[in-house]
Amino acid sequence: MDDFLAARLQMAFSLGFHIVFSCIGMVMPFFMCTAHYLWLKRKKAVYLDVTKAWSKGVAIFFATGAVSGTVLSFELGLLWPKFMEHAGPIFGMPFSLEGTAFFIEAIALGFYLYGWNRFHPWFHWFTGVIVGISGLLSGILVVAANAWMNSPAGFDFVNGQYLNIDPMKAMFNEAWFSQALHMCVAAFVSTGFAVAGVHALMILKGKNVNFHRKAFQIAAIFGTVAACLQPISGDISAKDVAKRQPAKLAAMEAHFHTEKGAGLIIGGIPDTATKTVKYALEIPKALSFMATGDFNAEVKGLDQFAKKDQPPVVVVHYAFQIMVGLGMAMLGLAVIYFIALIKKKGWAESKWMLKLFVIATPMGFLALEAGWTVTEVGRQPWIIYGVMRTADAVTPMPGIAYSFYLFTAVYISLAIIVSLLLFRQITMVDKLYDSSTDKKIQ
């Protein structure tokens, strides 16, 4: 394995783990605060138990997110020094503000975890809200930095020099809103379906049914509402990518030839040698409409870009299809669930409905990983789109492969530890709570 590939794999592996930890850490505080609010308003012990159980999960993912995020910060400097040398002064503002949001989140979380019976009940609840808001802002600021890599702004690039730097323009680049919106909604979808799926499984097993039913209802509402909003944010993102990164859009759709009234490809196997897509379903003129809002508009194909400037078509296309396919599956489940809540109330707690949520447990995170693959691999071969190539940013230091093996082992170990902690937390809930009486066992 050469050092360039090892550096890319290490960054990809680190991001792949961190994005799961960070999304759960961003969203779970809102679940926790919702349960806490219901406890304060209704005074039912089950909501207090859900709140305290979820607060422990929030603490676990805050810690793991902090560790994995810190590793990523070091990796930017160690693996991509040329990138940081030039880019650091330009997009450093969102990173510094993210640090501020992180500290606020840490302080608020400390107040929340140790504030039981010490603060006024509503102030205590409010500290939990601050945890959620600051965590969400932290994620948005990091995504703004990533968006700058896809849509460089806030500087003039003259003779290899970065001049007239404007950090505000860099942070609020053309891509930040669409990426931040899509990422935040995806975080709620993935976490909502995962948490709902876990509690649905416990209901099916007949363990502490009342506790898990309340938890399931909260998580399912968050996840299904977000799933219904995700196509809207996806449409905004698609139109933005079509405008700024037409090569990425062409790779997403395996769109080899420029044409007007371009069809939307569903599935299929791209053949880069013959520049065709086999076994695909095509919706006439749909790609032109998705990209521009005009059924007859021209959409650039990969034939408009030099071979050296084209993203890896097969990887990007498959990742995009996985993301959209899983997103549509969760949207379908969301529609069924809302029908159950509004008209067919007997469906909401039926075994088949719970089984569907159990099946959907990993879908959100799989879609999340696929979406980030589209974002990052679709930008290649650029680390700063149109300005700096990834190959020119990598460290000249040898032996990166060994670093990749070490960090891979660390992240796998971290994932196993987190899984064991969560499993222990679920089993502790089963021992402490008696769903038949709605009271804690003394």
Side-chain angles (χ1 to χ4, degrees):
M1 183 186 298
D2 63 72
D3 290 332
F4 179 52
L5 178 59
R8 291 184 66 186
L9 286 175
Q10 181 173 329
M11 201 71 192
F13 208 77
S14 302
L15 274 169
F17 273 92
H18 178 67
I19 194 172
V20 174
F21 297 148
S22 60
C23 282
I24 297 174
M26 286 164 55
V27 172
M28 278 301 296
F30 292 101
F31 294 8
M32 175 186 75
C33 289
T34 301
H36 194 169
Y37 175 83
L38 292 171
W39 151 246
L40 291 173
K41 295 296 288 185
R42 299 180 183 179
K43 297 300 181 182
K44 288 187 177 181
V46 62
Y47 290 116
L48 178 60
D49 282 278
V50 171
T51 302
K52 290 190 174 182
W54 278 350
S55 70
K56 292 179 175 64
V58 169
I60 291 171
F61 282 103
F62 176 82
T64 52
V67 171
S68 58
T70 302
V71 171
L72 277 172
S73 300
F74 283 114
E75 285 180 343
L76 282 173
L78 293 172
L79 300 178
W80 314 102
K82 290 293 183 181
F83 167 70
M84 292 303 295
E85 176 186 351
H86 298 291
I90 303 173
F91 77 108
M93 179 174 286
F95 273 136
S96 62
L97 292 176
E98 189 274 336
T100 303
F102 173 78
F103 286 128
I104 293 173
E105 182 183 7
I107 294 169
L109 181 60
F111 282 169
Y112 189 84
L113 293 176
Y114 297 100
W116 292 100
N117 303 318
R118 291 182 175 88
F119 297 137
H120 185 281
W122 284 106
F123 176 77
H124 182 218
W125 171 81
F126 182 69
T127 61
V129 174
I130 295 299
V131 173
I133 293 174
S134 55
L136 198 62
L137 285 175
S138 180
I140 290 172
L141 289 164
V142 170
V143 172
N146 179 268
W148 178 85
M149 297 164 68
N150 288 295
S151 180
F155 66 97
D156 294 324
F157 188 63
V158 182
N159 297 324
Q161 300 294 316
Y162 297 79
L163 307 174
N164 303 321
I165 294 173
D166 186 336
M168 292 300 293
K169 286 185 178 180
M171 183 166 67
F172 295 108
N173 56 78
E174 290 185 0
W176 85 270
F177 175 76
S178 61
Q179 278 198 213
L181 176 64
H182 200 54
M183 183 67 231
C184 289
V185 177
F188 276 94
V189 174
S190 56
T191 305
F193 273 89
V195 175
V198 170
H199 289 291
L201 178 62
M202 301 308 291
I203 295 171
L204 288 170
K205 288 185 175 182
K207 296 183 177 181
N208 301 329
V209 174
N210 192 40
F211 173 91
H212 290 293
R213 182 182 288 119
K214 299 301 184 185
F216 167 80
Q217 290 169 351
I218 294 170
I221 289 295
F222 272 102
T224 51
V225 169
C228 293
L229 296 175
Q230 191 69 305
I232 299 172
S233 69
D235 181 67
I236 294 171
S237 294
K239 287 180 169 56
D240 180 64
V241 169
K243 176 183 175 182
R244 295 180 300 96
Q245 295 176 294
K248 178 186 284 187
L249 180 68
M252 288 159 58
E253 276 296 315
H255 185 60
F256 290 101
H257 307 287
T258 301
E259 61 178 315
K260 293 182 179 180
L264 180 70
I265 295 294
I266 299 176
I269 302 174
D271 187 335
T272 55
T274 61
K275 301 187 185 306
T276 58
V277 183
K278 300 176 181 178
Y279 315 115
L281 175 65
E282 182 176 349
I283 304 176
K285 298 188 178 184
L287 179 59
S288 290
F289 181 77
M290 183 184 77
T292 66
D294 182 354
F295 284 105
N296 297 309
E298 181 178 270
V299 178
K300 288 184 178 180
L302 290 165
D303 57 359
Q304 296 293 305
F305 305 93
K307 184 68 176 177
K308 64 178 182 178
D309 295 334
Q310 295 179 11
V313 178
V314 175
V315 174
V316 177
H317 177 71
Y318 286 151
F320 180 67
Q321 296 297 314
I322 291 170
M323 178 188 71
V324 173
L326 292 174
M328 294 306 294
M330 289 183 287
L331 174 60
L333 179 52
V335 171
I336 294 172
Y337 186 65
F338 284 127
I339 292 173
L341 292 179
I342 297 170
K343 289 192 174 183
K344 301 286 187 178
K345 297 188 182 296
W347 292 4
E349 297 180 4
S350 63
K351 286 187 176 181
W352 64 265
M353 179 70 77
L354 294 172
K355 287 178 180 178
L356 286 178
F357 273 94
V358 172
I359 293 170
T361 301
M363 285 186 181
F365 288 118
L366 292 174
L368 192 70
E369 298 286 4
W372 267 102
T373 300
V374 172
T375 299
E376 297 302 291
V377 179
R379 189 180 61 245
Q380 300 308 310
W382 306 98
I383 192 168
I384 306 175
Y385 188 72
V387 177
M388 178 184 286
R389 292 180 180 271
T390 308
D392 296 331
V394 72
T395 178
M397 182 181 70
I400 299 300
Y402 299 107
S403 174
F404 166 64
Y405 299 140
L406 175 62
F407 277 87
T408 299
V410 169
Y411 274 105
I412 291 175
S413 301
L414 188 61
I416 292 172
I417 292 170
V418 170
S419 299
L420 291 174
L421 287 173
L422 292 176
F423 178 77
R424 179 175 177 270
Q425 182 61 29
I426 292 172
T427 56
M428 285 180 64
V429 167
D430 290 337
K431 292 178 181 178
L432 292 174
Y433 191 75
D434 181 359
S435 60
S436 64
T437 61
D438 196 32
K439 293 180 181 179
K440 283 188 178 177
I441 297 173
Q442 299 301 318

